[in-house]
């Protein structure tokens, strides 16, 4: 299911009991505003502001059993969806399952209209261990309709649009018009849209002009992020090339001998 945050760490010194009211990360800012007495402005320098989503959690600080004020919350990440409403939570995977091997067939044949939703009663099943979708199909349909209302209001549609340039049409993604890059010592980061393209369907050649010290260590060339990428680096004089794919696969090759200084 999409990531869901149940905040239970906000409590008074007098009563450290974890709070069970349902809340999401978008409720943190309203909580801070209420706690310090800030009213968000409706206009800033003449520009109308988008209403702040979220519900303050301050009401729980002095009342551990207070009735929750968060009646609904939607979730959507790369086609995976979820929606909370009055104790019920419905969710469904999109074309990608985070802990499973990449599935090309699932990606290519994915149709959000045929995804199979799950249903949980969070008032009785905090860990979402018992899927009630088959027993309560009418409730599932109700939750799906609520998701569509919230998704429309928050400009989420079309579902899975974030995958368009990442997976289905990378050639349409934002990228630099450059064909060559010169990277100098001291440069730490280039925005992905301005950097050499590094994903399926494209190839690149990197030429490294390096003064190699004895037993040198350090990164020579790297492109990617926390979930994947490619890096050429030295460690104790040895040259390494490493590729990581979506945190699931890691490939490392190493020179048979340390590089000669020079």
């Amino acid at each position: 299911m999409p990531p869901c945050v149940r905040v239970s760490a906000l409590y008074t010194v007098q009563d450290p009991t974890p709070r069970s009211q349902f809340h999401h990360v978008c409720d943190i800012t309203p909580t801070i505003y209420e706690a310090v007495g800030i009213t968000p402005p409706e206009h800033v320098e003449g520009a109308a502001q988008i209403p702040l989503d979220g519900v303050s959690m301050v009401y729980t600080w002095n009342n551990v059993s207070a009735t929750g004020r968060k009646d609904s919350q939607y979730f959507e990440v790369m086609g995976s969806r979820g929606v909370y409403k009055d104790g019920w939570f419905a969710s469904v995977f999109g074309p990608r399952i985070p802990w499973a091997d990449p599935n090309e067939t699932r990606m290519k044949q994915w149709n959000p209209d045929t995804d199979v939703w799950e249903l949980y009663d969070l008032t009785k099943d905090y860990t979402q261990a018992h899927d009630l979708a088959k027993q309560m199909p009418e409730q599932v349909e109700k939750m799906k309709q609520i998701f569509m209302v919230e998704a429309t209001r928050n400009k989420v549609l079309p579902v899975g649009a974030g995958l368009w340039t990442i997976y289905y049409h990378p050639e349409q993604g934002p990228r630099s018009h450059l064909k060559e890059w010169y990277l100098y010592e001291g440069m730490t980061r280039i925005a992905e849209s301005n950097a050499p393209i590094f994903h399926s369907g494209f190839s690149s050649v990197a030429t490294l002009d390096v003064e190699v010290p004895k037993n040198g260590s350090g990164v020579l060339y790297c492109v990617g992020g926390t979930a994947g990428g490619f890096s050429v680096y030295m460690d104790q004089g040895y040259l390494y090339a490493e590729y990581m794919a979506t945190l699931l696969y890691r490939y490392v090759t190493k020179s048979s001998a340390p590089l000669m200084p020079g």
Side-chain angles (χ1 to χ4, degrees):
M1 73 170 190
C4 169
V5 176
R6 180 185 286 266
V7 178
S8 60
L10 292 176
Y11 47 76
T12 62
V13 175
Q14 294 82 4
D15 186 355
T17 304
R19 278 27 179 182
S20 62
Q21 294 84 356
F22 185 96
H23 280 280
H24 183 50
V25 65
C26 66
D27 300 323
I28 294 177
T29 297
T31 301
I32 295 174
Y33 282 176
E34 181 178 352
V36 300
I38 294 176
T39 300
E42 296 182 359
H43 294 80
V44 175
E45 296 184 355
Q49 301 298 290
I50 298 174
L52 185 67
D53 273 343
V55 176
S56 170
M57 295 177 279
V58 169
Y59 72 95
T60 69
W61 290 3
N62 295 311
N63 187 352
V64 65
S65 59
T67 300
R69 298 180 183 178
K70 182 81 169 183
D71 62 346
S72 64
Q73 175 66 50
Y74 87 95
F75 304 83
E76 193 277 336
V77 179
M78 296 295 184
S80 292
R81 291 94 77 200
V83 61
Y84 169 85
K85 179 68 175 179
D86 296 332
W88 291 98
F89 189 83
S91 60
V92 62
F93 282 115
R96 303 193 304 176
I97 299 177
W99 52 82
D101 292 345
N103 188 318
E104 289 293 320
T105 300
R106 181 182 175 93
M107 291 291 292
K108 292 178 179 179
Q109 297 181 356
W110 176 60
N111 181 348
D113 294 332
T114 60
D115 284 341
V116 179
W117 286 68
E118 301 173 2
L119 178 69
Y120 301 95
D121 181 357
L122 298 189
T123 64
K124 301 175 182 177
D125 182 19
Y126 174 81
T127 60
Q128 300 177 32
H130 305 289
D131 181 7
L132 303 175
K134 292 183 179 180
Q135 294 97 305
M136 306 182 69
E138 293 182 357
Q139 182 66 23
V140 173
E141 290 303 316
K142 179 180 178 181
M143 297 295 287
K144 289 167 65 175
Q145 292 175 11
I146 294 172
F147 172 83
M148 290 303 296
V149 170
E150 292 299 310
T152 301
R153 183 177 69 85
N154 288 278
K155 300 179 175 60
V156 174
L157 304 178
V159 169
L163 294 167
W164 183 261
T165 56
I166 293 177
Y167 178 80
Y168 295 107
H169 292 280
E171 74 281 358
Q172 297 182 15
R175 61 179 185 268
S176 172
H177 67 281
L178 296 176
K179 301 298 183 183
E180 295 183 356
W181 288 258
Y182 292 89
L183 309 179
Y184 300 97
E185 182 179 1
M187 298 177 67
T188 57
R189 185 181 184 277
I190 302 175
E192 184 176 358
S193 58
N194 292 325
I197 299 172
F198 182 75
H199 50 65
S200 60
F202 296 88
S203 61
S204 61
V205 176
T207 301
L208 308 178
D209 185 6
V210 182
E211 289 290 336
V212 179
K214 183 178 180 180
N215 297 324
S217 296
V219 176
L220 302 176
Y221 178 75
C222 179
V223 58
T226 57
F230 180 77
S231 178
V232 177
Y233 60 94
M234 293 184 64
D235 187 12
Q236 296 299 311
Y238 286 88
L239 183 66
Y240 289 79
E242 180 170 342
Y243 171 68
M244 172 75 79
T246 62
L247 296 178
L248 297 175
Y249 300 102
R250 182 184 181 190
Y251 306 93
V252 181
T253 184
K254 172 185 175 183
S255 62
S256 58
L259 298 187
M260 294 295 293

